Amino acid sequence: MMMDYTVSPLGDEAVVLEFGVEISGEKQKQIMAVSAYLDDHPIQGMVEYIPAYTTITIFYNALEVIANSTGTNAYEHMLDEIEKMISRLPENFETESNVVEIPVCYGGEFGPDLEVVAQENNLTEKEVMDIHANGEYMVYMIGFAPGFPFIGGMSERIATPRKDSPRLTIPAGSVGIAGGQTGVYPIETPGGWQLIGRTPLELFRPDEEVPILLQAGDSIRFFPISEEQYSNWGRERS
């Protein structure tokens, strides 16, 4: 796979692969290709990797890397291994995207900023709901809070800046907008996103083997539900 990237150190035991500064579907495809390769062919001494919007950070154990190197220092050995990895990536990388449908009760007490988003974009609240619920989305990265998905693909027609003063408490499940992206708060936490609705789904489930519902690369589909459906969601599926 042909790709433009740079590599730089992050402290003594990490390297950052950067694929540019512009967030795009093509960059996400490259990051997913590298992630998939690292899953199947982890670099000797690698501890973990963290994908983000335009970067992948690889953390490693320097002593283990040096023990398996050919005389170079740990960082230079990682550079060599990364170059080999990139050269082995398939030209046309394709991966099956996990599709997750997320029900959202828009507006009212669940979406106190729906009116703000509508006024910011000269739309009605119904138009904001329809645009948000009919978008094609992808999870670009997980961060900020356990299981918090930064979701790209939202229409610029409903893009809205963060609030000037963050709320001290945002309920778990709140669906928000910040700039040109959308996301879902998995736990109760402070935050400055414009809240347009809430989902009854639990995105963070610490008692389960896989504690977070969403992963980078997942495709997301939002769909509207009523307050009654929200209240009965768990009982209807138990």
Side-chain angles (χ1 to χ4, degrees), residues 128-168:
V128 172
M129 293 165 51
D130 289 343
I131 292 169
H132 187 267
N134 285 283
E136 296 182 1
Y137 300 98
M138 176 181 287
V139 178
Y140 276 44
M141 61 177 284
I142 302 293
F144 166 62
F148 186 102
F150 289 85
I151 301 171
M154 191 185 75
S155 171
E156 287 296 325
R157 294 175 61 197
I158 55 175
T160 308
R162 287 175 171 83
K163 303 188 77 63
D164 293 332
S165 298
R167 291 181 171 92
L168 295 180

Side-chain angles (χ1 to χ4, degrees), residues 183-234:
V184 185
Y185 285 83
I187 61 174
E188 183 178 291
T189 178
W193 291 39
Q194 305 285 357
L195 306 182
I196 62 171
R198 195 181 304 170
T199 178
L201 292 186
E202 292 184 4
L203 272 65
F204 180 56
R205 301 165 291 182
D207 295 331
E208 298 193 15
E209 183 176 353
V210 179
I212 60 176
L213 176 64
L214 304 176
Q215 303 288 339
D218 285 351
S219 293
I220 303 297
R221 295 174 184 164
F222 295 105
F223 65 94
I225 59 173
S226 66
E227 290 189 20
E228 182 180 1
Q229 288 174 307
Y230 180 97
S231 299
N232 295 327
W233 191 261

Side-chain angles (χ1 to χ4, degrees), residues 45-57:
M46 183 181 78
V47 176
E48 65 174 336
Y49 70 87
I50 300 176
Y53 281 124
T54 61
T55 63
I56 293 182
T57 302

